[in-house]
Amino acid sequence: MELKYKHIFVLIALSLGGMSTWGQPKVTYRQIVTSPIDSWVEVTDRTKAMNGETQEEASVSNGKGQTIEGFGACFNELGWVSLGLLPSADRESIMKELFFPNYGANFTICRMPIGANDFCRDWYSYNENNGDFKMKNFSIQNDTETLIPFIKSAQLQNADIKVWASPWCPPSWMKHNKHYASAVCDPSLKNTKFDNGLPADRAGREGMDMFILKPEYLKAYALYFSKFIKAYRKAGIDIFGVMPQNEFNSAQIFPSCCWTAQGLASFVGDYLGPEMKKLNVDVMFGTMERANYLLVDTILQDSNAKKYVKAVGFQWAGKDAVKEVRRHYPKMKLMQTEQECGDGHNDWNGMLHSWDLLKHYMDNGISIYNYWNVSLEEGGISRWGWRQNSLVVVNPESRTFRFTYEYYLMKHISHFVLPGAVYRPVEGSAKEILAFENPDGSTVLLYMEKEGKDKTVTVKLKGTSFRFFTKANCLNTIKVD
């Protein structure tokens, strides 16, 4: 009789799924796993979770962090070129997977360039007519072939998608060196298709204003932004916000323009801010790619500039400035504007690095998170010879495609963590974990197993607890209803 009752007790315990402590309310959850072998696999067998010994513990705090506004990527010209190699049905299925609400990645906020960037087909601006301060020759004709159909294709899947924009380079005649680039190519690239043709005596450097800081140039550049906003609205694309310059400290061999923080403060406060206010377009400061938070402080302490800045965006080494900016400006919205781009291999190690970035930014208060390249051809090489990763890889010979590990990383968070969700701090021995609470009260956990060990993790949440099991080297999303 005693043995019979023990069997009954075990059956009851197993039927309760995630419940780990007798007498606590039942916890139901969904678990999705991605590994180097399989992607986006749903785990329904809870036997190992119930029977295994706990290796790590995580206690989800009731404290509230930042509110999440959304996730997305950047619309780049080479992304649309690569997708154009595919049959239309495949291209449409990719766009649905990326943008259709509550279907795949569920992207809601994306970035685009104002003019050329490093993943465009070649250099261009919207007005290369020297001295055209009234922008009479402004034109977005180039974009009708690439960026506009790219964004319109996303809008077909999600009409409410939000887009913000930033330039990599102003029209070249607005720069002191009269060239789109700011750095000389490596000698190995000379006389190749990657050569930018910039002479050494016209190179720029960090800490200088390569833009001509004369009133007529600054005023014309603000008008350039205004013309861009209006032209895109006419095309059916509403740009909700702009940043004045991508990576304003970096002299690059591709389209780029160094500014000082003081130069940008003048441009934002006296020209760009007032012009964008007329159009009801937000001005965000960035993109910030240095660890020195005082560069942001220069803008946010400027009496004119600070009244226009609605958010601050960070990428690359700027990630190490986020914490200090948040500490000094706790009410300022923070954005991750461009995830580090990898090396074109799109391998598991690249995904692990991307996880580290995602976790760092979320732990430090980011509300908007943007991946970089949506799609690239195999190898991911840019017009200027830089190989990078992407969410989708297209084989130009077979006209086929695949989603990468980094795509699934993004999907693991963006599919489940919805706009309006709140970041929840986590304490305990489990370190590779993130937690969020959605507006409907559901909790989403992301857990990355990086040590190569099978583990059972006990989670304490809202007065109860449950356990989940993960195999070694797996990314897990747990959604608790």
Side-chain angles (χ1 to χ4, degrees):
M1 183 64 71
E2 182 180 354
L3 182 60
K4 176 181 177 182
Y5 287 134
K6 285 183 177 179
H7 288 166
I8 292 173
F9 180 82
V10 170
L11 289 172
I12 292 173
L14 289 174
S15 72
L16 292 174
M19 190 171 80
S20 62
T21 305
W22 182 253
Q24 290 183 343
K26 178 182 178 180
V27 176
T28 59
Y29 64 87
R30 184 183 179 196
Q31 182 177 4
I32 304 294
V33 175
T34 292
S35 71
I37 300 172
D38 294 305
S39 299
W40 204 256
V41 177
E42 184 151 8
V43 176
T44 56
D45 185 356
R46 306 280 189 252
T47 304
K48 290 184 178 180
M50 292 301 301
N51 297 337
E53 293 184 5
T54 297
Q55 278 80 41
E56 292 184 350
E57 294 184 351
S59 179
V60 180
S61 169
N62 290 326
K64 291 184 178 181
Q66 73 275 18
T67 299
I68 303 302
E69 293 193 16
F71 301 87
C74 188
F75 296 109
N76 290 328
E77 279 202 300
L78 292 188
W80 189 244
V81 170
S82 67
L83 292 174
L85 298 173
L86 299 172
S88 60
D90 285 347
R91 185 167 59 251
E92 290 170 11
S93 72
I94 289 170
M95 298 304 283
K96 182 177 181 180
E97 174 70 17
L98 292 170
F99 297 104
F100 193 79
N102 303 314
Y103 179 78
N106 196 33
F107 285 166
T108 56
I109 300 179
C110 289
R111 180 184 184 182
M112 68 164 294
I114 299 175
N117 67 3
D118 48 326
F119 273 75
C120 65
R121 295 175 296 178
D122 204 346
W123 160 249
Y124 73 99
S125 80
Y126 299 134
N127 189 353
E128 281 298 294
N129 292 272
N130 187 17
D132 185 7
F133 294 106
K134 294 185 178 180
M135 293 293 144
K136 292 181 178 180
N137 295 289
F138 182 95
S139 173
I140 61 167
Q141 178 60 38
N142 179 88
D143 293 7
T144 63
E145 301 174 5
T146 50
L147 295 177
I148 290 175
F150 199 174
I151 298 170
K152 298 291 280 186
S153 181
Q155 287 179 323
L156 288 175
Q157 303 300 330
N158 181 359
D160 296 325
I161 191 168
K162 299 174 69 175
V163 181
W164 67 274
S166 70
W168 268 243
C169 184
S172 59
W173 55 272
M174 293 185 172
K175 292 174 65 179
H176 286 291
N177 72 347
K178 308 301 180 184
H179 197 284
Y180 69 79
S182 302
V184 177
C185 282
D186 185 272
S188 65
L189 298 179
K190 291 294 182 182
N191 300 316
T192 72
K193 63 180 181 179
F194 305 124
D195 188 0
N196 64 21
L198 180 67
D201 62 355
R202 289 162 62 188
R205 58 174 174 77
E206 183 171 352
M208 70 181 294
D209 284 299
M210 296 190 71
F211 189 92
I212 301 171
L213 295 181
K214 293 181 179 180
E216 62 268 30
Y217 286 86
L218 294 164
K219 183 178 180 180
Y221 198 30
L223 179 60
Y224 182 84
F225 275 77
S226 179
K227 290 272 191 178
F228 163 74
I229 297 295
K230 291 176 180 177
Y232 262 74
R233 283 180 179 174
K234 188 175 181 179
I237 299 168
D238 191 26
I239 307 299
F240 81 87
V242 296
M243 293 190 185
Q245 174 63 49
N246 180 72
E247 297 183 352
F248 65 93
N249 301 286
S250 298
Q252 304 281 18
I253 66 171
F254 47 79
S256 52
C257 185
C258 292
W259 295 68
T260 63
Q262 293 85 355
L264 283 175
S266 175
F267 177 53
V268 169
D270 298 331
Y271 301 93
L272 182 62
E275 196 69 23
M276 292 299 97
K277 186 176 181 180
K278 296 176 188 176
L279 299 173
N280 196 30
V281 172
D282 289 344
V283 175
M284 295 95 75
F285 178 66
T287 61
M288 172 71 172
E289 86 289 25
R290 292 291 183 264
N292 181 9
Y293 90 93
L294 293 175
L295 294 170
V296 177
D297 199 59
T298 298
I299 304 297
L300 298 184
Q301 291 296 320
D302 183 273
S303 59
N304 288 332
K306 68 180 182 181
K307 60 188 177 185
Y308 296 109
V309 176
K310 306 299 183 186
V312 179
F314 305 85
Q315 57 196 55
W316 290 88
K319 63 181 178 290
D320 295 322
V322 178
K323 186 175 182 179
E324 282 299 301
V325 172
R326 187 186 188 195
R327 185 170 71 87
H328 285 86
Y329 302 95
K331 295 183 179 180
M332 180 61 66
K333 183 192 304 180
L334 306 179
M335 304 167 60
Q336 188 283 129
T337 48
E338 178 188 312
Q339 186 186 283
E340 294 175 24
C341 53
D343 54 11
H345 292 152
N346 293 290
D347 56 19
W348 186 257
N349 285 333
M351 192 283 293
L352 291 176
H353 180 62
S354 295
W355 160 258
D356 290 341
L357 293 170
L358 176 66
K359 186 173 186 307
H360 171 83
Y361 279 110
M362 289 297 159
D363 284 342
N364 285 284
I366 292 294
S367 293
I368 297 171
Y369 194 93
N370 284 155
Y371 189 82
W372 178 223
N373 286 297
V374 172
S375 177
L376 291 172
E377 293 182 34
E378 196 77 50
I381 195 164
S382 77
R383 154 68 178 81
W384 288 272
W386 192 356
R387 296 186 182 275
Q388 297 188 0
N389 291 352
S390 55
L391 301 176
V392 178
V393 173
V394 174
N395 186 316
E397 297 179 358
S398 64
R399 304 296 174 104
T400 58
F401 72 93
R402 72 180 189 277
F403 290 105
T404 64
Y405 292 127
E406 287 176 75
Y407 168 72
Y408 286 105
L409 170 63
M410 291 297 294
K411 185 177 179 180
H412 265 269
I413 189 168
S414 60
H415 180 82
F416 293 102
V417 179
L418 304 179
V422 175
Y423 169 92
R424 297 287 192 187
V426 181
E427 300 176 348
S429 58
K431 302 302 182 185
E432 300 296 329
I433 191 167
L434 290 168
F436 305 86
E437 183 174 337
N438 278 322
D440 64 2
S442 62
T443 298
V444 178
L445 306 174
L446 272 77
Y447 178 85
M448 183 70 233
E449 201 303 297
K450 296 169 64 177
E451 297 178 341
K453 301 176 182 178
D454 293 357
K455 292 177 182 176
T456 298
V457 181
T458 295
V459 178
K460 296 179 181 179
L461 173 68
K462 296 180 180 179
T464 188
S465 65
F466 69 97
R467 295 193 291 185
F468 70 88
F469 173 80
T470 177
K471 291 183 178 179
N473 303 309
C474 285
L475 171 63
N476 298 260
T477 295
I478 313 291
K479 183 183 179 184
V480 184
D481 295 321

PDB file of all heavy atoms in Angstrom, residues 231-244:
ATOM      1  N   ALA A 231      10.239  63.874 -48.245  1.00  0.00           N
ATOM      2  CA  ALA A 231      10.253  62.994 -49.416  1.00  0.00           C
ATOM      3  C   ALA A 231       9.826  61.586 -49.042  1.00  0.00           C
ATOM      4  O   ALA A 231       9.084  60.923 -49.793  1.00  0.00           O
ATOM      5  CB  ALA A 231      11.646  62.986 -50.042  1.00  0.00           C
ATOM      6  N   TYR A 232      10.291  61.124 -47.890  1.00  0.00           N
ATOM      7  CA  TYR A 232       9.898  59.780 -47.455  1.00  0.00           C
ATOM      8  C   TYR A 232       8.429  59.736 -47.042  1.00  0.00           C
ATOM      9  O   TYR A 232       7.742  58.727 -47.267  1.00  0.00           O
ATOM     10  CB  TYR A 232      10.836  59.291 -46.347  1.00  0.00           C
ATOM     11  CG  TYR A 232      11.913  58.387 -46.907  1.00  0.00           C
ATOM     12  CD1 TYR A 232      12.973  58.923 -47.639  1.00  0.00           C
ATOM     13  CD2 TYR A 232      11.856  57.018 -46.743  1.00  0.00           C
ATOM     14  CE1 TYR A 232      13.945  58.107 -48.182  1.00  0.00           C
ATOM     15  CE2 TYR A 232      12.812  56.176 -47.287  1.00  0.00           C
ATOM     16  CZ  TYR A 232      13.861  56.732 -48.010  1.00  0.00           C
ATOM     17  OH  TYR A 232      14.814  55.910 -48.574  1.00  0.00           O
ATOM     18  N   ARG A 233       7.936  60.789 -46.446  1.00  0.00           N
ATOM     19  CA  ARG A 233       6.502  60.822 -46.142  1.00  0.00           C
ATOM     20  C   ARG A 233       5.679  60.740 -47.425  1.00  0.00           C
ATOM     21  O   ARG A 233       4.658  60.050 -47.478  1.00  0.00           O
ATOM     22  CB  ARG A 233       6.164  62.100 -45.363  1.00  0.00           C
ATOM     23  CG  ARG A 233       6.571  62.044 -43.904  1.00  0.00           C
ATOM     24  CD  ARG A 233       6.214  63.330 -43.177  1.00  0.00           C
ATOM     25  NE  ARG A 233       6.583  63.248 -41.761  1.00  0.00           N
ATOM     26  CZ  ARG A 233       6.497  64.260 -40.902  1.00  0.00           C
ATOM     27  NH1 ARG A 233       6.047  65.453 -41.327  1.00  0.00           N
ATOM     28  NH2 ARG A 233       6.842  64.098 -39.643  1.00  0.00           N
ATOM     29  N   LYS A 234       6.123  61.442 -48.439  1.00  0.00           N
ATOM     30  CA  LYS A 234       5.429  61.398 -49.723  1.00  0.00           C
ATOM     31  C   LYS A 234       5.443  59.985 -50.304  1.00  0.00           C
ATOM     32  O   LYS A 234       4.500  59.569 -50.997  1.00  0.00           O
ATOM     33  CB  LYS A 234       6.073  62.381 -50.696  1.00  0.00           C
ATOM     34  CG  LYS A 234       5.309  62.562 -51.994  1.00  0.00           C
ATOM     35  CD  LYS A 234       5.941  63.648 -52.866  1.00  0.00           C
ATOM     36  CE  LYS A 234       5.151  63.839 -54.151  1.00  0.00           C
ATOM     37  NZ  LYS A 234       5.748  64.915 -55.004  1.00  0.00           N
ATOM     38  N   ALA A 235       6.502  59.248 -50.007  1.00  0.00           N
ATOM     39  CA  ALA A 235       6.618  57.863 -50.470  1.00  0.00           C
ATOM     40  C   ALA A 235       5.844  56.891 -49.577  1.00  0.00           C
ATOM     41  O   ALA A 235       5.832  55.684 -49.838  1.00  0.00           O
ATOM     42  CB  ALA A 235       8.084  57.452 -50.537  1.00  0.00           C
ATOM     43  N   GLY A 236       5.224  57.396 -48.505  1.00  0.00           N
ATOM     44  CA  GLY A 236       4.430  56.543 -47.627  1.00  0.00           C
ATOM     45  C   GLY A 236       5.192  55.978 -46.451  1.00  0.00           C
ATOM     46  O   GLY A 236       4.745  55.024 -45.823  1.00  0.00           O
ATOM     47  N   ILE A 237       6.355  56.577 -46.133  1.00  0.00           N
ATOM     48  CA  ILE A 237       7.186  56.095 -45.025  1.00  0.00           C
ATOM     49  C   ILE A 237       7.404  57.246 -44.051  1.00  0.00           C
ATOM     50  O   ILE A 237       8.019  58.258 -44.407  1.00  0.00           O
ATOM     51  CB  ILE A 237       8.534  55.559 -45.537  1.00  0.00           C
ATOM     52  CG1 ILE A 237       8.304  54.382 -46.498  1.00  0.00           C
ATOM     53  CG2 ILE A 237       9.427  55.141 -44.374  1.00  0.00           C
ATOM     54  CD1 ILE A 237       9.545  53.973 -47.270  1.00  0.00           C
ATOM     55  N   ASP A 238       6.909  57.099 -42.847  1.00  0.00           N
ATOM     56  CA  ASP A 238       7.013  58.151 -41.839  1.00  0.00           C
ATOM     57  C   ASP A 238       8.212  57.867 -40.938  1.00  0.00           C
ATOM     58  O   ASP A 238       8.237  56.853 -40.233  1.00  0.00           O
ATOM     59  CB  ASP A 238       5.727  58.214 -41.013  1.00  0.00           C
ATOM     60  CG  ASP A 238       5.658  59.450 -40.131  1.00  0.00           C
ATOM     61  OD1 ASP A 238       6.295  60.454 -40.482  1.00  0.00           O
ATOM     62  OD2 ASP A 238       4.989  59.397 -39.085  1.00  0.00           O
ATOM     63  N   ILE A 239       9.200  58.723 -40.970  1.00  0.00           N
ATOM     64  CA  ILE A 239      10.394  58.585 -40.138  1.00  0.00           C
ATOM     65  C   ILE A 239      10.109  59.252 -38.793  1.00  0.00           C
ATOM     66  O   ILE A 239       9.868  60.457 -38.737  1.00  0.00           O
ATOM     67  CB  ILE A 239      11.622  59.245 -40.798  1.00  0.00           C
ATOM     68  CG1 ILE A 239      11.820  58.715 -42.237  1.00  0.00           C
ATOM     69  CG2 ILE A 239      12.868  59.029 -39.954  1.00  0.00           C
ATOM     70  CD1 ILE A 239      12.059  57.230 -42.336  1.00  0.00           C
ATOM     71  N   PHE A 240      10.152  58.473 -37.699  1.00  0.00           N
ATOM     72  CA  PHE A 240       9.759  59.042 -36.407  1.00  0.00           C
ATOM     73  C   PHE A 240      10.895  59.792 -35.711  1.00  0.00           C
ATOM     74  O   PHE A 240      10.644  60.630 -34.840  1.00  0.00           O
ATOM     75  CB  PHE A 240       9.216  57.961 -35.474  1.00  0.00           C
ATOM     76  CG  PHE A 240      10.253  57.142 -34.753  1.00  0.00           C
ATOM     77  CD1 PHE A 240      10.792  57.553 -33.545  1.00  0.00           C
ATOM     78  CD2 PHE A 240      10.689  55.936 -35.284  1.00  0.00           C
ATOM     79  CE1 PHE A 240      11.750  56.796 -32.874  1.00  0.00           C
ATOM     80  CE2 PHE A 240      11.639  55.165 -34.633  1.00  0.00           C
ATOM     81  CZ  PHE A 240      12.177  55.594 -33.414  1.00  0.00           C
ATOM     82  N   GLY A 241      12.152  59.510 -36.095  1.00  0.00           N
ATOM     83  CA  GLY A 241      13.260  60.148 -35.406  1.00  0.00           C
ATOM     84  C   GLY A 241      14.535  60.108 -36.224  1.00  0.00           C
ATOM     85  O   GLY A 241      14.675  59.289 -37.148  1.00  0.00           O
ATOM     86  N   VAL A 242      15.464  60.996 -35.890  1.00  0.00           N
ATOM     87  CA  VAL A 242      16.762  61.037 -36.569  1.00  0.00           C
ATOM     88  C   VAL A 242      17.871  61.205 -35.552  1.00  0.00           C
ATOM     89  O   VAL A 242      17.670  61.747 -34.462  1.00  0.00           O
ATOM     90  CB  VAL A 242      16.842  62.187 -37.593  1.00  0.00           C
ATOM     91  CG1 VAL A 242      15.844  62.003 -38.715  1.00  0.00           C
ATOM     92  CG2 VAL A 242      16.661  63.550 -36.917  1.00  0.00           C
ATOM     93  N   MET A 243      19.055  60.723 -35.905  1.00  0.00           N
ATOM     94  CA  MET A 243      20.289  61.030 -35.196  1.00  0.00           C
ATOM     95  C   MET A 243      21.183  61.806 -36.152  1.00  0.00           C
ATOM     96  O   MET A 243      21.142  61.575 -37.364  1.00  0.00           O
ATOM     97  CB  MET A 243      20.977  59.763 -34.698  1.00  0.00           C
ATOM     98  CG  MET A 243      20.192  59.039 -33.613  1.00  0.00           C
ATOM     99  SD  MET A 243      21.144  57.724 -32.829  1.00  0.00           S
ATOM    100  CE  MET A 243      19.889  57.026 -31.740  1.00  0.00           C
ATOM    101  N   PRO A 244      21.990  62.728 -35.647  1.00  0.00           N
ATOM    102  CA  PRO A 244      22.730  63.626 -36.546  1.00  0.00           C
ATOM    103  C   PRO A 244      23.895  62.989 -37.291  1.00  0.00           C
ATOM    104  O   PRO A 244      24.258  63.458 -38.371  1.00  0.00           O
ATOM    105  CB  PRO A 244      23.225  64.727 -35.615  1.00  0.00           C
ATOM    106  CG  PRO A 244      23.289  64.100 -34.261  1.00  0.00           C
ATOM    107  CD  PRO A 244      22.140  63.131 -34.227  1.00  0.00           C
TER     108      PRO A 244
END
